[in-house]
Amino acid sequence: MWARALRVRFPVPLDRGRGFASKAGPQGKVQEVRQGTHSPRLASQGAGRVPAAKIEHLERLALVDFGSREAVARLEKAIAFADQLHALDTDGVEPLESLLEDRCVYLRSDNVAEGNCTEELLRNSHHVVEEYFVPLPGNVSLPDMVNKTPSPTAE
Amino acid sequence: MLGRTLREVSAALKQGQVTPTELCKKCLSIIKKTKYLNAYITVSEEVALKQAEESEKRHKQGQPLGDLDGIPVAVKDNFSTSGIETTCASNMLKGYIPPYNATVVQKLLDQGALLMGKTNLDEFAMGSGSTDGVFGPVKNPWSYSKQYRERQRHDEHGDSHWLITGGSSGGSAAAVAAYTCFAALGSDTGGSTRNPAAHCGLVGFKPSYGLVSRHGLIPLVNSMDVPGIFTRCVDDTAVVLGVLAGHDPKDSTTVQDPIKLPMILGEMDVSRLCIGIPKEYLVPELSSEIRSLWSQAADLFESEGAKVIEVSLPHTCYSIVCYHVLCTSEVASNMARFDGLQYGHRSGIDVSTEAMYAATRQEGFSDVVRGRILSGNFFLLKENYENYFVKAQKVRRLIVRDFMNAFDSGVDVLLTPTTLSEAVPYLEFIKEDNRTRSAQDDIFTQAVNMAGLPAVSVPVALSNQGLPIGLQFIGRAFCDQQLLTVAKWFEKQVQFPTIQLQDLMDDGSLVLENGKLTSVSLT
């Protein structure tokens, strides 16, 4: 039964150019797969550059360094990719925060059931004094460091 | 023994035809023989042998714990395992030894399963190739199969043309496909279990969100992650799911619905089934071979009396974009816990806390992870929150509604491809960056995670190149057992061939007759 040649159910799309753009989709090419590495061309919005101040702001918030011009370019592509959402009308649609929103989710009762594992928890830290994790002075903010010390080399 | 189902091996263990120690030693020796696959990050040999010893005692006393007692399993390295290094294939967690077991790991151990080791993955489960971890890429065992090699030109017999496993749970997939264990745990956030299952010829199961505990699974996207299961047949998946499913007080996102156990898949009357084919999944990039198999599968159901109808999931083309925004946003939030203070890598910078945090994260995370964190933080900025993050949440509701409408129209199960093509060579895969590849490869799988539905990839047939192709079944939420019943029926129809791994056949480890595994030498 399986080996029998069966009639082809789907029409054969011979020409990639015609594509299968869904009627509900925006104009222009939506899926990145159709364009390879290039950012999708959008009807009206251009793939803008992210201003330097914003880059610094993100690095500060994330405490993660971009490290290179390529990384910034990748962010710009990611933003352009995400911009496609704006073509979709979501008026009157509630944001979906949890798949379990229609259910009652259960929390544990507020009773001590386990614990006393201080040693195990401290064991994984590199710098511990007695039963304390040891950070460094927290009153020196990062931008000052950017000026004073050389930035860590990217991997 | 290795070619049998879990229940068959379990019965053999109970009858004393084989001992847990023999099984354990055999799997350990195959792990050594297939080391070049790079499927394992940590092989927990001593632990496994000790567990085997204890299992043997129980079997001798006639008191085995269940169907998993004495069965070798592997676990993806983003599940916490007490006393065993858990790295997520990242420098950030190299040397990190959790003080507790993930709930799903604990459940397996409580049933007497033997933990063979922790498997390789893309760093922090971000990727679709299992190529981006710090321990190197995972090689697809099918690269070394007779079925694939005899179809290649002679000059391509060198090792440089090996194929990827898919990802991000590639190590778990390779471990099961190469007979180093009977089942493995993966995780599935956007297809990370189903994708490598399709590329490695395995059953890859993603349970309904809320069915299986995520406690101890190092989180990527809290609203989409689930533990996934790899096995060589659908029945085995049901055995494992029966052990893992259920409410966990330590994970408040697990539901309290009662589950009928043990999970035994019965016969199914196909003529009462309604299969839905989402038309938007027929994209030009889909390989013609997979398109043909998909079509044949639909016809197969129809010829057996099932109703097969075309359905529409109109917002499909926005799905991957929505996933991209929500995923990077949640990732940015989840990765914030890695600051070097309580666990994980800590930079040597000693000027200030923030400098130390920044340097730690620079040194600990790869480009891929850092890129996602930065993108996510961009979408979460106050000025962008409504336009990107909340917008994506609204689109997510539309996507969930699409699925609900399809099921409400009478469809029991959706049938779609799992991947766009068969496994590709590593050298080709790395030509594009991680984000581009993920956007391409997750196309059929990520919408399922957004809707929290159960889905399974079942191996169907070999391509013209001799490589596995899988198809995906998607079920209604919490109808996991019904979904697996359909998958089991289909698996029986297609009779997917056994992998003919040259190494293991040459030394007599695997003996095949007519493409079927007949026996395995345990010496």
Side-chain angles (χ1 to χ4, degrees), chain B residues 1-63:
Chain B
M1 233 10 89
L2 292 179
R4 309 274 185 90
T5 68
L6 264 174
R7 287 210 173 97
E8 286 170 345
V9 178
S10 180
L13 285 167
K14 286 173 188 140
Q15 287 159 24
Q17 289 168 25
V18 64
T19 68
T21 309
E22 284 172 334
L23 212 49
C24 184
K25 285 191 171 151
K26 185 63 196 175
C27 287
L28 285 170
S29 104
I30 296 186
I31 291 176
K32 286 198 178 82
K33 285 204 181 86
T34 54
K35 199 159 174 214
Y36 55 86
L37 295 177
N38 204 18
Y40 285 84
I41 294 176
T42 304
V43 180
S44 45
E45 183 162 340
E46 279 170 33
V47 166
L49 286 168
K50 184 150 180 295
Q51 290 167 343
E53 213 182 285
E54 283 158 18
S55 175
E56 212 161 301
K57 273 194 212 126
R58 288 190 294 267
H59 278 94
K60 281 207 175 98
Q61 289 164 0
Q63 289 171 341

Side-chain angles (χ1 to χ4, degrees), chain B residues 16-303:
Chain B
Q17 289 168 25
V18 64
T19 68
T21 309
E22 284 172 334
L23 212 49
C24 184
K25 285 191 171 151
K26 185 63 196 175
C27 287
L28 285 170
S29 104
I30 296 186
I31 291 176
K32 286 198 178 82
K33 285 204 181 86
T34 54
K35 199 159 174 214
Y36 55 86
L37 295 177
N38 204 18
Y40 285 84
I41 294 176
T42 304
V43 180
S44 45
E45 183 162 340
E46 279 170 33
V47 166
L49 286 168
K50 184 150 180 295
Q51 290 167 343
E53 213 182 285
E54 283 158 18
S55 175
E56 212 161 301
K57 273 194 212 126
R58 288 190 294 267
H59 278 94
K60 281 207 175 98
Q61 289 164 0
Q63 289 171 341
L65 294 165
D67 283 335
L68 284 182
D69 201 338
I71 304 285
V73 300
V75 168
K76 186 176 179 182
D77 208 17
N78 61 354
F79 286 93
S80 296
T81 42
S82 180
I84 301 176
E85 192 184 10
T86 299
T87 64
C88 293
S90 175
N91 281 320
M92 187 58 87
L93 288 178
K94 251 190 191 165
Y96 169 65
I97 300 184
Y100 70 107
N101 280 320
T103 296
V104 288
V105 173
Q106 191 62 55
K107 285 186 169 185
L108 290 177
L109 296 177
D110 285 346
Q111 285 291 306
L114 313 178
L115 181 58
M116 306 310 285
K118 307 299 291 300
T119 58
N120 203 352
L121 59 154
D122 279 307
E123 181 161 345
F124 280 111
M126 298 186 199
S128 59
S130 301
T131 52
D132 279 327
V134 295
F135 297 100
V138 184
K139 297 185 182 177
N140 192 327
W142 284 84
S143 320
Y144 306 96
S145 69
K146 202 158 158 238
Q147 289 109 322
Y148 176 65
R149 298 209 115 165
E150 64 194 7
R151 284 171 166 101
Q152 299 308 300
R153 292 196 313 269
H154 283 291
D155 56 13
E156 278 177 29
H157 262 74
D159 199 30
S160 53
H161 292 268
W162 56 270
L163 312 157
I164 58 162
T165 47
S168 60
S169 312
S172 283
V176 177
Y179 291 92
T180 67
C181 57
F182 284 85
L185 289 186
S187 65
D188 196 313
T189 303
S192 291
T193 293
R194 292 160 285 153
N195 178 295
H199 287 320
C200 294
L202 300 171
V203 175
F205 179 66
K206 175 212 169 287
S208 299
Y209 181 85
L211 187 63
V212 180
S213 172
R214 289 180 300 111
H215 174 74
L217 166 60
I218 293 168
L220 195 62
V221 183
N222 297 69
S223 65
M224 296 186 211
D225 290 349
V226 290
I229 303 172
F230 289 96
T231 55
R232 295 192 282 269
C233 71
V234 176
D235 251 341
D236 290 356
T237 293
V239 173
V240 178
L241 183 61
V243 168
L244 300 183
H247 175 67
D248 179 15
K250 293 181 182 172
D251 179 357
S252 60
T253 59
T254 51
V255 300
Q256 288 204 340
D257 298 358
I259 304 162
K260 209 168 122 205
L261 294 172
M263 193 167 292
I264 299 184
L265 306 177
E267 291 299 313
M268 185 189 62
D269 183 1
V270 181
S271 64
R272 309 185 98 175
L273 208 56
C274 179
I275 307 279
I277 309 280
K279 65 179 189 194
E280 291 85 0
Y281 280 45
L282 182 55
V283 295
E285 292 78 11
L286 182 62
S287 89
S288 54
E289 281 185 287
I290 300 185
R291 190 176 62 238
S292 165
L293 284 172
W294 186 19
S295 175
Q296 287 176 56
D299 289 340
L300 174 65
F301 277 101
E302 200 166 53
S303 68

